[in-house]
Amino acid sequence: MKDLVLSEIYIYPVKSLGGIKIYRADAGERGLKYDRRYLLVDDSGSFLTQREYPQLALLKLSIEENRFKVLDTKNGYQIYIPFEFNSGDKMDVKIWSDLCNAIRLPEEINLWFSRAISKNCTLVYMPDDERRFVEKKYVADEHIVSFADAYPYLIIGQSSLDDLNSRLDQPVKMDRFRPNFVFRGGDPYEEDTWKDFEINDVLFSAVKPCARCVITTTDQKTGARQKEPLKTLSTYRTINNKVMFGMNVVAKKSGRVSVGSKIKLV
C-alpha cells in the first residue's frame, strides 16, 4: 500500500463561508483551531448555511495581520473580525437540535453581513466555555464540537474525488465537500473503512461516513447551483437513502498536524 500523506488542511472560521487553506494547525477535541467558531444566525437565533443561502459562498476568508479578513467577492467590500471573541453580549442560538450559548459581534459587523447576503443576520462566536456535544449514537466517549454540523473533523481522500470526477462530465473541486483534511496515496473511498489513525502524534478516530447535502451542488466560486455531483453520487454512494462522501472524525489526543505528514492507521 502506498504511503498515506496529509496533503491539504482547511479551516472554515465562519460556518458556511469560504474556507482557508493552511499548512499546519493545532488539532483539539473541538476541532482545528479557529474552525467554525463563528456562525451567522437569523432574527430567531437559528443558524444560516449555504443550504438556504448559497450566496454565503461568495464571502471569502483569509488571514491578515492576526485577524480574519472577510471579502464580499460580488461587491468588493471587506471587513475584519478577530481570531477570537470571548467577551460581549450573549444569546442562545440554535444549530440543528442543539441550543448553544454564543456571543454577539458588534452591530456594525452584523450590518455588514446583513447587507452582504441581503438577509438580516447576526454573527456570533462560540466561547471557550461552551460545550456542544456530538451525537452519542456513534461514539462511545463524550466529544465536543464547534458549530460544525455534527463532528469536529472531516477527512477525504484525493483518490475518492478523482474517482468521482472520472464519472462526471464536468469535474468538481474538493471545496464542494468542505473537508478539514485531504490525503493522498490511498484507494478511492478507503477512508470509509478506517478506525483509529494518527497524524504526527495526534490520535484520531473515524466515526461514520458523512451524509452530503445540497451544498455540494453549489459552485463555491459563483454560488450557482446545479444537480451534480449529488446526482452521480446517488447512483453508487447511497446508504439508507443518504449520499455519503468523506469520513466524520473525532480527536482522541490533541497536537499539531502539518501538510506532508504521514497518516498511520492503528
Side-chain angles (χ1 to χ4, degrees):
M1 183 179 71
K2 294 181 180 179
D3 287 340
L4 306 173
V5 177
L6 181 63
S7 56
E8 298 171 40
I9 303 173
Y10 295 92
I11 56 171
Y12 308 87
V14 183
K15 182 179 177 65
S16 241
L17 271 60
I20 303 175
K21 187 176 184 178
I22 57 179
Y23 295 92
R24 63 190 60 83
D26 293 327
E29 182 185 11
R30 199 192 303 263
L32 293 177
K33 189 174 183 179
Y34 306 130
D35 188 52
R36 295 177 174 94
R37 294 295 292 271
Y38 284 103
L39 177 71
L40 287 170
V41 298
D42 64 17
D43 289 340
S44 70
S46 295
F47 73 121
L48 304 179
T49 75
Q50 288 185 37
R51 293 173 179 86
E52 299 82 18
Y53 302 96
Q55 63 267 35
L56 290 173
L58 303 181
L59 303 183
K60 306 298 186 183
L61 276 82
S62 59
I63 296 174
E64 187 173 304
E65 298 179 353
N66 297 315
R67 56 185 176 172
F68 295 119
K69 181 176 80 172
V70 187
L71 175 64
D72 179 349
T73 58
K74 180 179 180 180
N75 298 304
Y77 303 138
Q78 65 186 43
I79 197 170
Y80 294 91
I81 58 176
F83 284 158
E84 300 175 330
F85 195 79
N86 276 297
S87 63
D89 295 334
K90 293 188 176 183
M91 63 180 292
D92 289 332
V93 300
K94 187 174 183 181
I95 174 168
W96 299 115
S97 60
D98 296 327
L99 193 64
C100 301
N101 193 250
I103 300 174
R104 296 172 58 100
L105 272 289
E107 196 59 27
E108 60 268 23
I109 292 178
N110 299 326
L111 289 173
W112 187 93
F113 278 98
S114 297
R115 287 194 294 267
I117 67 171
S118 301
K119 165 75 177 178
N120 197 43
C121 60
T122 299
L123 183 68
V124 300
Y125 181 81
M126 177 179 282
D128 292 340
D129 59 1
E130 176 62 17
R131 295 181 63 80
R132 177 187 174 220
F133 293 96
V134 305
E135 189 177 11
K136 294 181 180 180
K137 179 179 178 181
Y138 298 102
V139 291
D141 303 320
E142 283 191 341
H143 292 273
I144 59 173
V145 62
S146 63
F147 286 128
D149 274 348
Y151 294 93
Y153 300 92
L154 176 66
I155 190 167
I156 300 175
Q158 181 62 46
S159 294
S160 301
L161 180 64
D162 292 344
D163 181 81
L164 167 62
N165 280 333
S166 72
R167 304 165 188 260
L168 299 175
D169 292 332
Q170 295 289 332
V172 296
K173 294 182 178 180
M174 187 66 82
D175 61 7
R176 295 283 189 102
F177 302 98
R178 305 176 69 79
N180 295 111
F181 299 139
V182 180
F183 69 93
R184 292 185 180 274
D187 296 324
Y189 316 109
E190 78 159 60
E191 58 268 30
D192 292 354
T193 66
W194 289 8
K195 294 182 179 178
D196 290 345
F197 62 95
E198 291 181 345
I199 304 176
N200 293 352
D201 291 325
V202 185
L203 179 62
F204 297 94
S205 183
V207 178
K208 62 181 289 293
C210 182
R212 308 316 307 222
C213 69
V214 69
I215 291 178
T216 61
T217 68
T218 307
D219 187 312
Q220 293 298 300
K221 185 176 181 180
T222 67
R225 284 259 168 89
Q226 48 197 205
K227 293 182 180 180
E228 296 290 9
L230 279 186
K231 181 180 178 181
T232 294
L233 281 170
S234 67
T235 65
Y236 74 107
R237 291 288 301 168
T238 300
I239 300 175
N240 295 327
N241 295 318
K242 294 181 178 180
V243 173
M244 303 296 183
F245 193 84
M247 195 70 174
N248 289 310
V249 172
V250 296
K252 292 186 173 182
K253 179 183 176 183
S254 300
R256 174 160 284 199
V257 296
S258 56
V259 168
S261 299
K262 290 185 178 181
I263 300 175
K264 178 183 177 183
L265 304 184
V266 297

